[in-house]
Amino acid sequence: MKVLVPVKRVLDYNVKARVKPDQSGVDLSNVKMSMNPFDEIAVEEAVRLQEAGTATETIVVSIGPAKAQETIRTGLAMGMDRGVHVQTDDDLEPLAVAKILKAVAEAEGADLVITGKQAIDNDYGSTGGMLAALLDWPIGSAANSMSKDGDALTVVKEVDGGLQTVKLQMPALVTTDLRLNEPRYASLPNIMKAKRKPIEAKTPADYGVDTTPRLKTLKVTEPAAREAGIKVEDAAALVDKLKNEAGVL
Amino acid sequence: MAVLVIAEHDNASLKDATHKTVTAAAKMGGDIDVLVAGKGIKDVMAAAAKIDGVRAVLGVDHDSLERQLAEAMEVVVVGLMDGYDAVLSPDTTTHKNYMPRVAAKLDVQQISSVTGVESADTFVRPIYAGNAMATVQSTDAKKVVTVRTTAFAAAGEGGSASASDSAANIGDLKSEFVSEELTKSDRPELTAAKTVISGGRGMGSGENFKLLEGIADKLGAAMGASRAAVDAGFVPNDWQVGQTGKSVAPELYIAVGISGAIQHLAGMKDSKVIAAINKDEDAPIFSVADYGLVADLFKALPEFEAELEKAGV
Ligand SMILES: Cc1cc2nc3c(=O)[nH]c(=O)nc-3n(C[C@H](O)[C@H](O)[C@H](O)COP(=O)(O)OP(=O)(O)OC[C@H]3O[C@@H](n4cnc5c(N)ncnc54)[C@H](O)[C@@H]3O)c2cc1C
Ligand SMILES: Nc1ncnc2c1ncn2[C@@H]1O[C@H](COP(=O)(O)O)[C@@H](O)[C@H]1O
């Protein structure tokens, strides 16, 4: 079984996004960038499948600027076999990303694609579902656990009411939720080893995908700020304020 | 212009998220139809027909729609889109599961979790855990939109739309439903509750969430949690409030033993009133709290409950 994991380079989750004064977007100059946390979980799952002998090859792919190579190297250092870098300086929308990923999945003959459930920068949460539809594959969204039995993949999904189990015919697509696993840290020897693993260089044009954006960003603004609150002395004061000042009890 | 709104329901009853999505749809202008896709959905259809501003209710009744499997929903919705310029659903897990499939099949870019509708093609949505708000205009012929329901008031009831059954051509699917393990609770639903009380890592254990229960009972509150509390196994996953969990915007949100990481704030900072109990006076949660109590929760919670009692709450 070949496993493909798409990973995105995003603003590190510990960094607070700052809106640019001209309202054109978020300032990404001189800030820490990392692999999207949900994608780390996807990489970890793929590596575990390989360690268990279920996966025969694991491929990590990223679509993004030159620096997305670093993100691919992170995946390789965690244990993925090889990388594909589709280089573009444009911030592609999920539809375009999904179209490129479809071409990569087909070119690689992937049996399983594991994406993150959402990228924490744009918060679209749509690439995985779009890719599954373009491939006409079934999907297990927001996986809490997964296991392969025969030709089928059983996925326990996190849903609003609790957990739901579905069975998917392979090939299939899974998106990761936070509880699927705890990603490993790459060891120094593995980081060194990853430097020698191959990364294939591609462009969106290689796959014949039109990446023209469908959405025009008119402006990006700061959210409405909350007014500063007060500290109260004790529980009695808290109840008093909530009841008599805020009127919410 | 015609807009299709997809109903949120559990086959037995229609959920409020539907009414809120109708409000978002109304801001786009045009006629609004509601799709009820499920199994044994007569009552849900009747309820949907009462929503103000709805032109027609379409019901699709099918075994594969009982759990609204992604592939089945894709077929049903895509099949209807010839007659619509836009499709809107709540941004709950049910719809997040298949709306991207609909968008891909229609070759349009989905606009996820909108908190504002400016016009038929322009929407506002939070990005970067709500630290920025993007106003985007879609150039696609059809719009596929999921709605952050907490940002919209529920449409009223008093309408009398027509309701009709519609057939669906759902063939063999490559996925099947196996089982479900739903969290049982007599409390109000987290995203719809007027009051929410959430616990974080500071609660120390699942057992200690009992300290919140008495208060939740008195306040008729739903219970929520931070990711850390869920990851630690204190409470079920569906209690998680935040960027990657549920968004809530109650009248009152009480955060207990929660530090206030940006990912948590993303899911609750639109609450009307926020109260926080934390022993660390520098905890970031206090920067969004209207009322902050710097205290050890193990001492403060029993006192808080007793004071509520005294105040006749
Ligand atoms: C990809 C990603 C997605 C995420 N999504 C979410 C999300 O959706 N929702 C979410 O909540 N988080 C999310 N997080 C996690 C987030 O970054 C924080 O780690 C998490 O919110 C912290 O939870 P906490 O506040 O309960 O724990 P901590 O940050 O550990 O805070 C515990 C707090 O309890 C206080 N405390 C401890 N003991 C006591 C006591 N006895 N009395 C009073 N106060 C006490 C401490 O002072 C501290 O402030 C996400 C993270 C990532 C990377
Ligand atoms: N540029 C990209 N390159 C590779 N994978 C991506 C890219 N953008 C999104 N993805 C994948 O799609 C998932 C969901 O992203 P999104 O739909 O943007 O929230 C991510 O977690 C990644 O697995």
Side-chain angles (χ1 to χ4, degrees):
Chain A
M1 179 173 78
K2 268 199 190 185
V3 185
L4 181 70
V5 177
V7 299
K8 187 175 187 192
R9 179 181 167 81
V10 299
L11 181 67
D12 185 82
Y13 80 96
N14 262 318
V15 180
K16 187 166 184 261
R18 301 245 172 257
V19 171
K20 286 191 210 163
D22 69 359
Q23 301 194 337
S24 64
V26 162
D27 195 353
L28 294 179
S29 51
N30 302 315
V31 289
K32 186 175 177 213
M33 304 287 284
S34 306
M35 186 188 290
N36 180 39
F38 287 99
D39 305 350
E40 285 181 11
I41 296 171
V43 167
E44 176 66 34
E45 198 65 19
V47 172
R48 287 188 193 184
L49 284 170
Q50 188 152 32
E51 287 168 348
T54 313
T56 49
E57 191 177 23
T58 53
I59 304 149
V60 53
V61 52
S62 190
I63 301 160
K67 289 243 166 128
Q69 274 222 22
E70 290 171 16
T71 313
I72 295 173
R73 290 275 172 222
T74 304
L76 298 177
M78 288 172 72
M80 301 288 284
D81 291 331
R82 59 188 175 83
V84 178
H85 178 207
V86 184
Q87 192 168 337
T88 170
D89 286 330
D90 299 333
D91 185 15
L92 300 190
E93 289 169 354
L95 181 63
V97 171
K99 287 178 179 175
I100 294 170
L101 292 175
K102 172 185 196 256
V104 175
E106 284 172 347
E108 298 292 351
D111 304 287
L112 173 66
V113 177
I114 313 178
T115 74
K117 87 165 176 183
Q118 91 195 53
I120 60 162
D121 52 359
N122 60 36
D123 284 331
Y124 273 117
S126 59
T127 305
M130 287 182 154
L131 176 56
L134 294 177
L135 289 164
D136 268 317
W137 288 6
I139 186 168
S141 310
N144 178 280
S145 70
M146 55 190 272
S147 60
K148 186 166 179 279
D149 33 314
D151 286 341
L153 194 71
T154 300
V155 181
V156 180
K157 295 151 37 96
E158 295 202 2
V159 294
D160 283 338
L163 295 168
Q164 187 187 74
T165 306
V166 293
K167 201 166 162 180
L168 315 176
Q169 282 169 30
M170 304 282 283
L173 189 141
V174 171
T175 73
T176 61
D177 212 324
L178 296 167
R179 263 68 62 176
L180 182 58
N181 61 47
E182 223 174 288
R184 69 194 65 189
Y185 289 100
S187 67
L188 198 55
N190 284 343
I191 293 172
M192 299 312 287
K193 240 169 56 192
K195 295 200 165 128
R196 294 191 303 272
K197 292 185 182 176
I199 299 180
E200 201 180 343
K202 294 280 192 183
T203 66
D206 291 337
Y207 301 104
V209 172
D210 175 7
T211 58
T212 314
R214 306 299 186 82
L215 304 182
K216 254 192 277 183
T217 299
L218 303 182
K219 63 177 178 190
V220 175
T221 57
E222 300 256 359
R226 287 189 77 93
E227 275 181 42
I230 56 161
K231 295 255 170 69
V232 296
E233 215 29 47
D234 51 24
L238 182 57
V239 170
D240 175 59
K241 290 285 184 194
L242 292 176
K243 190 172 160 114
N244 301 315
E245 190 173 276
V248 288
L249 292 186
Chain B
M1 155 132 159
V3 182
L4 184 66
V5 166
I6 307 178
E8 173 98 1
H9 65 86
D10 58 6
N11 298 308
S13 63
L14 182 70
K15 305 289 177 214
D16 200 39
T18 316
H19 301 68
K20 293 173 172 169
T21 307
V22 166
T23 300
K27 290 183 195 285
M28 295 175 71
D31 294 319
I32 300 170
D33 291 351
V34 173
L35 167 67
V36 179
K39 186 169 184 255
I41 46 174
K42 280 274 159 301
D43 294 347
V44 182
M45 286 174 67
K50 292 201 189 97
I51 303 177
D52 279 338
V54 173
R55 176 179 67 178
V57 175
L58 314 176
V60 183
D61 198 315
H62 193 282
D63 284 346
S64 303
L65 294 172
E66 182 171 6
R67 297 301 188 319
Q68 307 195 351
L69 288 174
E71 293 164 273
M73 288 300 288
E74 173 198 318
V75 172
V76 171
V77 179
V78 171
L80 288 169
M81 285 309 290
D82 270 350
Y84 295 95
D85 303 290
V87 55
L88 272 67
S89 78
D91 75 343
T92 56
T93 51
T94 304
H95 308 279
K96 279 181 181 168
N97 195 23
Y98 68 83
M99 284 292 269
R101 299 185 73 103
V102 171
K105 283 288 159 81
L106 297 173
D107 194 34
V108 311
Q109 175 53 45
Q110 169 176 317
I111 309 163
S112 312
S113 297
V114 304
T115 54
V117 177
E118 311 259 280
S119 70
D121 64 5
T122 303
F123 305 87
V124 182
R125 56 182 303 270
I127 54 175
Y128 289 88
N131 285 308
M133 305 299 291
T135 304
V136 295
Q137 183 175 31
S138 168
T139 60
D140 285 314
K142 294 187 193 291
K143 324 294 180 218
V144 177
V145 182
T146 64
V147 175
R148 174 75 50 91
T149 52
T150 49
F152 297 90
E157 289 193 352
S160 54
S162 66
S164 59
D165 292 316
S166 179
N169 196 4
I170 303 170
D172 284 344
L173 301 178
K174 295 170 185 161
S175 59
E176 64 184 280
F177 169 83
V178 177
S179 62
E180 206 163 47
E181 207 181 297
L182 299 184
T183 311
K184 285 195 190 61
S185 168
D186 297 329
R187 297 186 196 285
E189 207 262 306
L190 188 51
T191 54
K194 273 208 157 74
T195 307
V196 173
I197 182 163
S198 291
R201 197 197 313 264
M203 295 302 298
S205 72
E207 182 70 13
N208 290 336
F209 269 73
K210 287 218 171 76
L211 292 169
L212 301 180
E213 278 176 14
I215 296 168
D217 287 342
K218 284 204 164 53
L219 299 176
M223 288 173 71
S226 69
R227 173 190 173 181
V230 174
D231 282 6
F234 298 171
V235 293
N237 58 278
D238 55 298
W239 286 28
Q240 183 183 314
V241 170
Q243 179 190 15
T244 63
K246 287 178 179 163
S247 296
V248 302
E251 297 279 301
L252 172 61
Y253 186 89
I254 308 175
V256 184
I258 292 178
S259 62
I262 47 178
Q263 292 85 5
H264 188 77
L265 300 186
M268 46 63 78
K269 71 180 162 58
D270 292 330
S271 304
K272 190 161 154 253
V273 174
I274 298 173
I277 302 175
N278 195 304
K279 68 177 178 190
D280 171 9
E281 64 173 331
D282 295 322
I285 191 74
F286 289 127
S287 68
V288 299
D290 300 284
Y291 304 108
L293 174 57
V294 181
D296 186 301
L297 66 91
F298 296 103
K299 182 168 167 286
L301 287 174
E303 285 175 7
F304 186 59
E305 190 176 342
E307 290 296 332
L308 286 173
E309 181 84 47
K310 260 201 253 169
V313 177

